[in-house]
Every structure is written in structure tokens, then in C-alpha cells.
Amino acid sequence: EVQLLESGGGSVQTGGSLTLSCTASGFTFENSDMGWYRQAPGDEGDECEVVAIAYGDRSTYYADSVKGRFTASRDNTGNTLYLQMNNLVPTDTAVYYCAKDGDYGVSTTTCARFGIWGQGTQVTVSS
């Protein structure tokens, strides 16, 4: 069974840092493109933002909104995906989801391409 389990969310003040972790099981992690997306308060239905992607070839993608502040990394030995978040601001407040590529890979512009995602972890940034 494919599973993704996130941890590491919490509440911080502006300028703080958090590290999210996602432990994967049930598939060949090292061959998969993995990503983080978020749903902010007020987002409806499938509204979401692809925050970062850690591709299987070790390349990465970041949304402009987090570039320079967030770092995605992966430990293929431990089947774990990370998201280091620094200099957090209130607009980063959201539920963050770890996700695995779908049948057609991943997309930087839509979360719908992901095939599997975790239960989500809440990140709250106060001013």
C-alpha cells in the first residue's frame, strides 16, 4: 500500500523556521518525483499551490512565492522527503501536503497531476 506520512508542522512567528518531513512507503521512492503543495485558508475545492518539487534526478523546482526561503530535499535511503522552511511569513499559513507523481508525472502549475498525497500538516505563521 502506498503511504505518505507528513510531520513537522506547527505554529511559528514571522521569521521563524520549520522543517516538514514525509516518510514514504509502498513504492520505489528514488524513482519518483515528489513534491509539496499547500492549501491556504479560503482555498476551495482543488485550489492549491505547488510549493516545491524534488525530482528523481535530484533537480528541484520552487514556486516564486517561496524561492530563496524553502528548500526541498530527499533521502532516498530513508525514503523521506523534506521541506526546510525559513523566514516564514503569514501568507505561508496553509495545510502542507506531501505528494507523489501521478501517471503523467508532476506539474508545477497544478496539484491535480499528483497521484498520491498524504494527510497534510498544518503550518501557521503569526505576525
Side-chain angles (χ1 to χ4, degrees):
E1 179 185 5
V2 175
Q3 285 192 324
L4 299 171
L5 183 62
E6 301 104 335
S7 62
S11 297
V12 296
Q13 293 188 323
T14 296
S17 298
L18 286 172
T19 301
L20 306 183
S21 300
C22 171
T23 302
S25 61
F27 63 97
T28 305
F29 181 80
E30 64 181 340
N31 294 341
S32 300
D33 296 332
M34 300 293 298
W36 293 95
Y37 71 89
R38 64 188 180 186
Q39 288 189 306
D43 282 351
E44 298 180 352
D46 294 334
E47 287 186 86
C48 60
E49 179 184 19
V50 178
V51 173
I53 298 173
Y55 294 94
D57 66 2
R58 297 284 188 166
S59 63
T60 52
Y61 158 83
Y62 298 99
D64 287 344
S65 59
V66 306
K67 200 171 293 183
R69 301 187 297 120
F70 289 13
T71 302
S73 61
R74 56 194 299 163
D75 173 6
N76 287 341
T77 300
N79 289 355
T80 303
L81 178 72
Y82 300 98
L83 185 67
Q84 173 67 44
M85 305 185 294
N86 297 327
N87 195 20
L88 285 160
V89 296
T91 51
D92 293 320
T93 295
V95 178
Y96 285 71
Y97 296 87
C98 166
K100 175 189 177 300
D101 55 9
D103 291 340
Y104 300 100
V106 296
S107 169
T108 61
T109 58
T110 175
C111 305
R113 192 72 64 86
F114 289 115
I116 301 291
W117 48 91
Q119 82 286 355
T121 185
Q122 177 70 47
V123 171
T124 303
V125 185
S126 59
S127 57

